[in-house]
Amino acid sequence: MQNNVAITPELVAQHGLKPDEYQRILDLIGREPTLTELGIFSAMWNEHCSYKSSRLHLKGLPTKAPWVIQGPGENAGVIDIGDGLACVFKMESHNHPSYIEPYQGAATGVGGILRDVFTMGARPIATLNALRFGSPDHPKTQHLVSGVVAGIGGYGNSFGVPTVGGQMGFHTRYDGNILVNAMAVGIAKADEIFYAKATGVGNPIVYLGSKTGRDGIHGATMASAAFDDTAEEKRPTVQVGDPFAEKLLLEACLELMQTGAVIAIQDMGAAGLTSSAVEMGAKGDLGIELDLDKVPCRETGMTAYEMMLSESQERMLMVLKPGKEKEAEAIFIKWGLDFAIIGKTTNTLRFVIKQHGEVMADLPIKELGDQAPLYDRPFVETPKRPVIDPHHIKSPLSNADALIKLIGSPDFASKRWVWEQYDHLILGNTVQSPGGDAAVVRVGDGPLGLALTADVTPRYCEADPFEGGKQAVAEAYRNIVAVGGTPRAITDNLNFGNPERPDYMGQLVYCIRGIGAACEALDFPVVSGNVSLYNETNGRGILPTPTIGGVGVVDDVSKTATPAFKAEGEFILLIGETKGWLGASAWFATIAGREEGAPPPVDLEAEKKHGAFISSLIQDGHATACHDLSDGGLAIALAEMALAGKIGAKIDKLPEGLPSHAALFGEDQARYLVTVKDQAMAAIILKRASSAGVPALMLGKTGGHELTLPGESPISLERLKKAHEDWLPSYMAGEI
């Protein structure tokens, strides 16, 4: 492939650049770019790397708190968790590659996010994922579920980090564009964090890790484009991962970091060598010069264009202190990895690429990196949906039958088939495994721990993006509170359709505003994240899905709460106000067959107040079990607690003034279920709640092997379990 080819409008379009963007390139460099330069601009100015459609709006998110060490803009966010330690975490998407090649797409998504964490000097201790698939009836869904789950498990298990939580849902709007969001969490010493900002002129730039191949070329560009029926043809743009090489890379990097040799470090993820070099130089106000003849390659005859755009995995770029090269090289050779000095920092603010003694690219580095295009795209607010009056909605089924149908539906059915393929116990620090509100992972020998969750309700975001954005943060907050953690910070993965459509752009803008409002009110800042746009196929966009990854601190992992009923004869209390909100609810969609109505409003003050009340109950040891109420409302929460504890319950009382189906399946926010040992303690809690201005109601007692709802025939736990556990294994076995 020649470097000096004619740059045609067709070639520009193939690189994902608009005519006006190409004109901007011409104006910037004052000449026609070489092919390599065009590829570099394509890599750096696509949506995936530059956030050109979202940066303007992301600036409004709250990112600071006394415990925030590093907010957005680095490989990952960092918070202080006490004991001289920091938690390093981030979430990223691998949506497009996972649709094209589900195993490798999902696997390299895990690999990429792990590198983001250990690039900062942290040892990964846990991963989570948030998955969205199309309708179970779609001919590709089963294949995609199988490949993605195997890819996540295969990479994570081989690398040796536990996959401890996440979520998985189905909807026809993801038929042609699934979502695979991976989150990684690591621990580092608070005063030993490493950054991507290069400093010093003439310092060596070192290539580390695996060799460069032709896999993943144009991966970032592909991830910034909508799909059509030719998506399968993009398979060569998907990277191939090697978790065993990544494990070696982790150990080598962490060892090298201890020597004091590292000035800056950046993993080679999206846009590979181009992005990592540009970001390090641009952040440090330095130029970068690279000699591609020195880059370790596993394929012969690679051109400058291919080398700069390859997204081969398990690679790092570092700026080292002069004189430390030999020491660094010895470490990487010991671990069986490539080590090569491939360039140097300069004071020119230019990005210069040489190969075979020729200059292949010579570009202004700031304009490539932190001065990439910024768009203020037109957007419109999603029209408000009418509030559904629960008194006007009749139930087509008994509440008992509705519960059985709902808990056996694709979104609510047990995901045991998924998480049993993941090693969630490796490293021996998993305190709460998948299946609860949040995972709990011990830090070192304890008692300190972390509460981790990933959550979003896309149907709320579709119905009202602002309230949906608020709810996603509030849900993550509640999940952490419900296990006994103190919510500290979030990472987000903003998955949306085509930002060039004002309606989809409006979804993005208002979801961001909702997230911002909730983070501000709950003192729960955003410290890292990812934006994934153009998630659509043939003009049909996904449901707006701003996934929230939440991290909380657990002071003592021996004092956490779980959803499982613990003993017979305990009293069940509902905390929070119930108005029977059926709009945009799971019951309304699955039982009534209607995806309509305004979603439940999120009262952030109530969330904070009720969260503080629940935290005090758990810390005081009064709550024997705790579960937040969200999807499916009260009935689903009761069923999940009963199944987890293998103990039934009899509910004698429901919130008053509502049809029973609205009281049981309404999705009002800021609510929790707790159990307490005896009536005396229940009375104390009710009194405490009243004094604190927190709504609380005694519902009934635990006991037996049935769940009995008011006015309904008892449902055996066996029947409930069968409905809950059977769907996914049967579906994956091709039996339904």
Side-chain angles (χ1 to χ4, degrees):
M1 193 185 297
Q2 293 297 311
N3 198 38
N4 295 312
V5 300
I7 307 296
T8 62
E10 292 76 24
L11 192 60
V12 171
Q14 286 168 12
H15 282 75
L17 292 162
K18 301 279 195 299
D20 62 317
E21 290 175 329
Y22 182 63
Q23 186 57 51
R24 183 171 171 174
I25 292 169
L26 294 177
D27 296 342
L28 193 62
I29 66 175
R31 55 176 171 79
E32 189 175 88
T34 66
L35 182 64
T36 303
E37 289 173 335
L38 183 70
I40 288 169
F41 272 110
S42 164
M44 293 305 301
W45 284 12
N46 63 57
E47 196 70 56
H48 191 80
C49 291
S50 72
Y51 294 176
K52 57 191 178 187
S53 301
S54 57
R55 263 190 358 259
L56 187 70
H57 304 284
L58 295 171
K59 289 175 182 175
L61 291 171
T63 60
K64 292 183 168 50
W67 50 87
V68 173
I69 296 172
Q70 176 63 54
E74 269 291 341
N75 285 295
V78 187
I79 60 170
D80 189 326
I81 59 171
D83 293 351
L85 297 173
C87 175
V88 180
F89 63 102
K90 191 181 181 185
M91 185 186 291
E92 279 210 342
S93 60
H94 242 224
N95 305 335
H96 289 61
S98 300
Y99 181 79
I100 297 164
E101 213 308 299
Y103 185 95
Q104 289 297 349
T108 51
V110 175
I113 199 63
L114 286 167
R115 279 196 307 283
D116 278 341
V117 165
F118 70 77
T119 298
M120 304 285 295
R123 181 172 289 280
I125 63 163
T127 62
L128 300 90
N129 54 76
L131 313 175
R132 295 279 163 184
F133 297 100
S135 166
D137 300 332
H138 191 273
K140 286 197 72 168
T141 299
Q142 188 193 35
H143 161 72
L144 290 167
V145 171
S146 177
V148 164
V149 171
I152 291 168
Y155 202 102
N157 296 354
S158 301
F159 179 82
V161 66
T163 303
V164 296
Q167 65 167 182
M168 178 178 174
F170 299 83
H171 195 281
T172 186
R173 289 274 291 282
Y174 304 101
D175 284 350
N177 198 125
I178 63 174
L179 301 185
V180 176
N181 295 173
M183 175 175 167
V185 181
I187 298 294
K189 290 182 177 175
D191 58 355
E192 293 182 8
I193 306 296
F194 289 81
Y195 300 98
K197 179 180 175 181
T199 58
V201 174
N203 289 334
I205 296 172
V206 180
Y207 175 112
L208 308 160
S210 298
K211 289 179 168 60
T212 295
R214 289 188 170 95
D215 56 322
I217 292 172
H218 279 300
T221 307
M222 173 270 293
S224 306
F227 278 167
D228 54 25
D229 295 328
T230 65
E232 295 288 337
E233 296 171 12
K234 294 185 172 75
R235 187 169 279 118
T237 63
V238 178
Q239 314 92 326
V240 178
D242 179 351
F244 302 105
E246 179 117 334
K247 176 67 173 171
L248 297 172
L249 185 62
L250 161 73
E251 299 300 343
C253 285
L254 293 183
E255 185 174 334
L256 179 57
M257 288 167 170
Q258 292 304 307
T259 67
V262 179
I263 293 174
I265 178 168
Q266 179 76 33
D267 84 293
M268 291 194 224
L273 186 53
T274 292
S275 178
S276 53
V278 168
E279 285 179 19
M280 285 204 303
K283 284 177 179 174
D285 293 323
L286 292 170
I288 299 284
E289 188 175 304
L290 301 180
D291 181 356
L292 299 187
D293 294 342
K294 294 178 178 170
V295 172
C297 294
R298 66 169 186 267
E299 299 182 45
T300 57
M302 288 189 71
T303 63
Y305 178 92
E306 291 171 328
M307 290 164 76
M308 294 309 297
L309 296 185
S310 165
E311 294 184 11
S312 296
Q313 297 291 286
E314 293 83 44
R315 301 180 300 159
M316 290 280 187
L317 205 63
M318 283 188 189
V319 178
L320 291 185
K321 289 179 182 172
K324 294 281 190 177
E325 296 92 336
K326 289 294 179 194
E327 185 179 0
E329 185 175 16
I331 290 171
F332 272 76
I333 289 172
K334 180 183 81 171
W335 287 100
L337 296 167
D338 278 292
F339 176 101
I341 298 169
I342 65 167
K344 62 183 180 184
T345 57
T346 69
N347 61 359
T348 63
L349 286 178
R350 306 289 296 180
F351 187 46
V352 179
I353 308 299
K354 295 178 179 176
Q355 189 182 36
H356 311 318
E358 291 182 38
V359 174
M360 298 293 171
D362 184 351
L363 297 169
I365 200 164
K366 297 288 283 185
E367 285 79 359
L368 279 171
D370 49 22
Q371 292 177 21
L374 180 61
Y375 295 139
D376 186 2
R377 296 199 185 276
F379 62 89
V380 295
E381 188 174 359
T382 301
K384 296 290 184 192
R385 292 188 188 178
V387 173
I388 303 292
D389 185 339
H391 295 91
H392 296 165
I393 305 297
K394 289 194 166 42
S395 179
L397 297 175
S398 71
N399 291 326
D401 288 344
L403 176 56
I404 291 290
K405 184 174 180 178
L406 205 55
I407 206 162
S409 65
D411 277 4
F412 287 95
S414 167
K415 303 304 182 296
R416 184 185 303 275
W417 182 90
V418 175
W419 54 257
E420 283 189 343
Q421 295 185 52
Y422 304 152
D423 191 333
H424 48 275
L425 298 174
I426 193 168
L427 302 181
N429 279 326
T430 306
V431 177
Q432 285 198 38
S433 301
D437 287 313
V440 178
V441 180
R442 181 171 43 247
V443 175
D445 296 330
L448 186 68
L450 295 173
L452 310 170
T453 184
D455 224 310
V456 63
T457 311
R459 62 178 185 274
Y460 294 169
C461 299
E462 170 93 344
D464 184 331
F466 182 73
E467 286 298 325
K470 280 165 62 181
Q471 193 277 338
V473 175
E475 171 78 1
Y477 184 89
R478 285 200 302 274
N479 285 341
I480 291 167
V481 167
V483 299
T486 302
R488 277 293 185 235
I490 70 163
T491 182
D492 58 34
N493 204 138
L494 307 178
N495 308 276
F496 292 84
N498 186 345
E500 296 166 50
R501 285 183 48 174
D503 52 343
Y504 288 167
M505 189 67 204
Q507 291 176 342
L508 172 66
V509 170
Y510 283 93
C511 274
I512 289 173
R513 290 179 183 178
I515 290 167
C519 289
E520 189 76 45
L522 299 172
D523 216 10
F524 201 26
V526 184
V527 297
S528 60
N530 173 242
V531 180
S532 173
L533 306 181
Y534 295 95
N535 289 290
E536 62 176 55
T537 300
N538 294 327
R540 187 193 197 200
I542 62 164
L543 293 175
T545 312
T547 310
I548 303 297
V551 173
V553 174
V554 177
D555 292 330
D556 185 347
V557 293
S558 67
K559 293 181 179 176
T560 60
T562 69
F565 289 151
K566 301 301 185 296
E568 305 229 355
E570 296 199 332
F571 287 75
I572 305 166
L573 304 180
L574 172 62
I575 307 299
E577 188 178 10
T578 301
K579 294 181 178 178
W581 200 282
L582 292 176
S585 69
W587 181 92
F588 212 24
T590 305
I591 307 302
R594 295 165 65 179
E595 290 192 20
E596 57 192 83
V602 181
D603 181 336
L604 294 167
E605 285 308 309
E607 292 284 1
K608 199 165 184 177
K609 186 195 295 185
H610 300 180
F613 183 76
I614 293 293
S615 289
S616 69
L617 294 187
I618 296 171
Q619 293 312 309
D620 294 347
H622 297 327
T624 54
C626 183
H627 194 17
D628 89 301
L629 271 64
S630 51
D631 263 8
L634 173 60
I636 287 287
L638 285 165
E640 288 173 344
M641 293 176 85
L643 288 171
K646 301 177 181 171
I647 298 170
K650 184 173 187 297
I651 304 305
D652 304 312
K653 193 170 185 180
L654 291 175
E656 293 177 351
L658 292 168
S660 60
H661 58 278
L664 284 165
F665 298 103
E667 294 180 6
D668 305 88
Q669 301 294 296
R671 296 189 300 162
Y672 301 80
L673 276 178
V674 293
T675 55
V676 296
K677 281 187 177 175
D678 52 39
Q679 194 158 6
M681 180 54 71
I684 291 168
I685 302 302
L686 289 170
K687 191 175 177 181
R688 271 176 63 176
S690 178
S691 301
V694 173
L697 180 67
M698 177 103 74
L699 298 180
K701 288 169 70 175
T702 63
H705 300 287
E706 297 170 328
L707 177 60
T708 306
L709 303 174
E712 301 283 332
S713 303
I715 313 166
S716 72
L717 291 191
E718 191 177 335
R719 186 186 174 202
L720 209 55
K721 182 182 177 183
K722 184 172 171 53
H724 188 50
E725 295 278 356
D726 278 8
W727 181 81
L728 189 55
S730 300
Y731 173 70
M732 294 310 296
E735 295 167 4
I736 52 176

